[in-house]
Amino acid sequence: MTAAVSFQRVRKCYGDLCALKEITLEIPQGSFFGLLGHNGAGKSTMINAMAGLVNLTHGCIEVLGHDVVREYRHTRRLLGVVPQELIDEPFFSVRELLRIQSGYFGLRGRAQAAWIDELLERLALTDKADVKTHQLSGGMKRRVLIAMALVHHPKVLVLDEPTAGVDVGLRQSLWAFAQELHAQGMTIVLTTHYLQEAEALCDRIAIIDHGELLTVASKEELLAAHPWRYIELETNEVAELCSELSARLEQRQGDLLRFRVERDVPMADFLDWVQRSHLDVKDLRSQRASLEQVFLSLTQETHT
Amino acid sequence: MNWAGTWTLLYKEVRRFWSVFIQTVLAPVVTTLLYLLIFGHLLDEGGVQFDNLDYGTFLIPGLVMLTLMQNAFSNSSSSLIQSKMHGNLTFILLSPLSPLEIYLAFVAAAIVRGLVVGLGVFVVGWLGYDLYWQSLAWVLVFAVLSAAVMGGLGLLAGILSDKYDHLAAFQNFVVVPLTFLAGVFYSIHSLPPLWQQLSQFNPFFYMVDGFRYGFFLHSDVSVWTSLAVTLSFLLVVSAINLYLLVRGVKIKN
């Protein structure tokens, strides 16, 4: 099946500084794809490049098999992009903006007006439809951007940090909407700094750092490949730890000890170390790695 | 060609300036009326004439053109720089509009504003002076072409400017001097020979002179020369704009 988005040896340099270094990546159709990286890793450059807003130094990008430079008319119909920066349009109301954006795509008539009404309702903007965007709060502006990105019925929706600065209730309703669109077959590409969100929503994840693709895998593969598990011990008093535990101690907060232990170390061995350290254990919790820990581990490896 | 999209962008740009009608239409008409009152009446009373015409009658086509040119320039330049500053240029760049379609829509909107404001000045002048045109066709040809040139120049300035200050510099140090020195207030035959020669290197002079020909069937240079220069200038401005839009200079990363 043709990839929803395909990056082929994409490089983008500004003089000597390369924001993207030979990125080759395929985003499968129908996936909920997480694009993760620290600030300045190159996520927004990748998104802008998908949208044709970046002149690439090398390589090409295709959306559903169409080149974003040569066939830009086609790819812009297939792609809906919610940019990271909030945007103001002081002359027009929300509904007028949606009508104008529809007009750029040649979409008019009753069916389109009904779709605009539906978008306004789904994004809780109906009562703000006749208000100009500069009179809206940050969260409302973010929802307007989502409506703008969806107004032409794209097949691939790109959300560049859509929940930055958005309150919890609205964030949850946005994710419910995104999941509904995904269930209807839309491919969703997401960048976010809330890694718990990415873990809960995404089925496939790419991690980029300093313009390089560190890994791309399904969420399960990524978590399974992580070589550590995390064990927390609550004790009554902390005695001298044996050398094995000392080497694996990650954090100590009063009587709470947190260890990072190799996954192939049997739990029996760990309990043996606990016994040798004469720890009076009140509670013990073992957790597999979270996406956040995998992310930090991968990005820290490249920095050391 | 995405005609529906182009029309939508044109509609949006016209709605944009019309929504601030007082600032974009009424204010320039009133300012020009002040020029007419001060220069026209004072010099009329002093018996100043150009080409055997009362100064006020001679002046009005020049003032119409001055206002038309400056407003056509302002329309596309301020719209583009505002779109860059507010970030809403992204909406256009994410749409399936081609560089040519974007260019045509911005220039067409500049023509509309130029014509609306120019018509306003003409109507105001008509109330005080005995105005007539000898050739409406030439009047319209030069009005539309000049507004297109200035709309294109405005777009160019908007693309190249990173902030309002850059745009103000382009407007105050290039557009305003060239329009004021284009024979708006005088016939170049009244200038010393050196300034007459220099005026002929100012492309705006040909726009004003051709436009005035439509009113009086009399001009400083042949109307065909004016037409050729104006058309050539429009082609050059359009080509530079299209090159910048295709390459995404200062609007893409």
Side-chain angles (χ1 to χ4, degrees), chain A residues 237-251:
Chain A
E237 69 180 83
V238 177
E240 185 88 3
L241 295 177
C242 69
S243 59
E244 289 88 348
L245 282 187
S246 251
R248 290 168 178 83
L249 182 66
E250 196 183 53
Q251 199 180 14

Side-chain angles (χ1 to χ4, degrees), chain A residues 12 14 48 51-55 72-73 76-77 81 83 86-92 96-97 100-101 103-106 108 145 148, chain B residues 1-2 4-5 7-9 11-12 15-16 19-20 82 86-88 90-99 101 247-248 252-253:
Chain A
K12 173 62 187 175
Y14 302 93
N48 289 336
L53 301 179
V54 168
N55 293 318
Y72 67 92
R73 281 197 202 270
R76 287 179 195 173
R77 288 180 192 280
V81 178
L86 291 178
I87 290 173
D88 264 336
E89 174 50 273
F91 296 99
F92 300 98
E96 284 171 326
L97 270 182
I100 288 168
Q101 197 67 17
Y104 295 154
F105 289 86
R108 292 184 226 174
L145 290 181
M148 296 284 277
Chain B
M1 189 81 181
N2 175 4
W7 174 256
T8 302
L9 182 54
Y11 164 81
K12 182 202 154 206
R15 278 282 314 277
R16 189 193 67 83
S19 68
V20 281
Q82 280 172 10
H86 289 294
N88 58 55
T90 305
F91 296 145
I92 297 173
L93 297 177
L94 290 174
S95 78
L97 288 165
S98 70
E101 288 154 0
R247 296 291 303 268
K252 289 186 187 176
N253 290 316

Side-chain angles (χ1 to χ4, degrees), chain A residues 198-215:
Chain A
E199 187 171 350
L201 294 162
C202 299
D203 49 41
R204 200 163 175 81
I205 285 164
I207 296 178
I208 59 168
D209 195 39
H210 290 96
E212 284 180 280
L213 182 64
L214 297 184
T215 187

Side-chain angles (χ1 to χ4, degrees), chain B:
Chain B
M1 189 81 181
N2 175 4
W3 289 112
T6 312
W7 174 256
T8 302
L9 182 54
L10 167 61
Y11 164 81
K12 182 202 154 206
E13 287 301 305
V14 171
R15 278 282 314 277
R16 189 193 67 83
F17 82 74
W18 199 255
S19 68
V20 281
F21 171 86
I22 293 175
Q23 178 199 334
T24 56
V25 178
L26 205 57
V29 171
V30 171
T31 305
T32 316
L33 179 64
L34 292 174
Y35 278 128
L36 190 60
L37 285 173
I38 294 164
F39 292 111
H41 282 287
L42 277 178
L43 294 174
D44 265 346
E45 283 174 13
V48 175
Q49 286 197 326
F50 282 114
D51 302 329
N52 299 320
L53 296 165
D54 290 343
Y55 184 65
T57 308
F58 173 86
L59 179 62
I60 288 171
L63 286 179
V64 169
M65 203 49 158
L66 174 77
T67 323
L68 177 150
M69 290 163 79
Q70 289 187 344
N71 279 276
F73 176 88
S74 291
N75 201 66
S76 45
S77 61
S78 60
S79 177
L80 198 81
I81 193 90
Q82 280 172 10
S83 293
K84 280 164 93 170
M85 294 292 147
H86 289 294
N88 58 55
L89 186 64
T90 305
F91 296 145
I92 297 173
L93 297 177
L94 290 174
S95 78
L97 288 165
S98 70
L100 176 64
E101 288 154 0
I102 293 171
Y103 176 70
L104 288 178
F106 269 93
V107 168
I111 293 172
V112 173
R113 176 157 158 199
L115 293 182
V116 167
V117 180
L119 185 66
V121 173
F122 179 80
V123 169
V124 167
W126 188 52
L127 297 175
Y129 287 85
D130 184 20
L131 280 178
Y132 53 92
W133 54 75
Q134 299 279 4
S135 167
L136 184 60
W138 281 120
V139 168
L140 289 176
V141 163
F142 277 95
V144 171
L145 286 180
S146 305
V149 167
M150 298 309 288
L153 273 179
L155 193 64
L156 190 57
I159 291 171
L160 295 176
S161 298
D162 293 322
K163 50 185 182 175
Y164 290 109
D165 209 30
H166 293 163
L167 189 59
F170 196 90
Q171 185 147 19
N172 290 309
F173 300 127
V174 179
V175 174
V176 171
L178 286 180
T179 43
F180 274 72
L181 296 171
V184 167
F185 298 98
Y186 53 82
S187 159
I188 63 163
H189 291 312
S190 62
L191 297 173
L194 175 65
W195 284 101
Q196 283 191 39
Q197 292 284 322
L198 288 176
S199 292
Q200 295 193 15
F201 290 100
N202 177 2
F204 295 7
F205 157 72
Y206 298 91
M207 301 181 207
V208 176
D209 203 49
F211 185 68
R212 199 171 262 136
Y213 178 85
F215 283 85
F216 310 124
L217 291 182
H218 183 86
S219 52
D220 289 340
V221 297
S222 157
V223 70
W224 296 105
T225 304
S226 293
L227 183 64
V229 172
T230 305
L231 275 174
S232 306
F233 196 40
L234 178 58
L235 281 176
V236 170
V237 169
S238 302
I240 296 171
N241 265 301
L242 288 171
Y243 172 79
L244 295 178
L245 287 170
V246 168
R247 296 291 303 268
V249 176
K250 299 229 177 190
I251 52 175
K252 289 186 187 176
N253 290 316

Side-chain angles (χ1 to χ4, degrees), chain A residues 208-227:
Chain A
I208 59 168
D209 195 39
H210 290 96
E212 284 180 280
L213 182 64
L214 297 184
T215 187
V216 54
S218 72
K219 181 173 63 188
E220 288 71 26
E221 286 168 346
L222 207 56
L223 294 173
H226 191 62

Side-chain angles (χ1 to χ4, degrees), chain A residues 38 209 295-304:
Chain A
H38 291 291
D209 195 39
F295 172 78
L296 287 172
S297 162
L298 280 169
T299 52
Q300 277 163 5
E301 271 172 30
T302 63
H303 293 188
T304 54

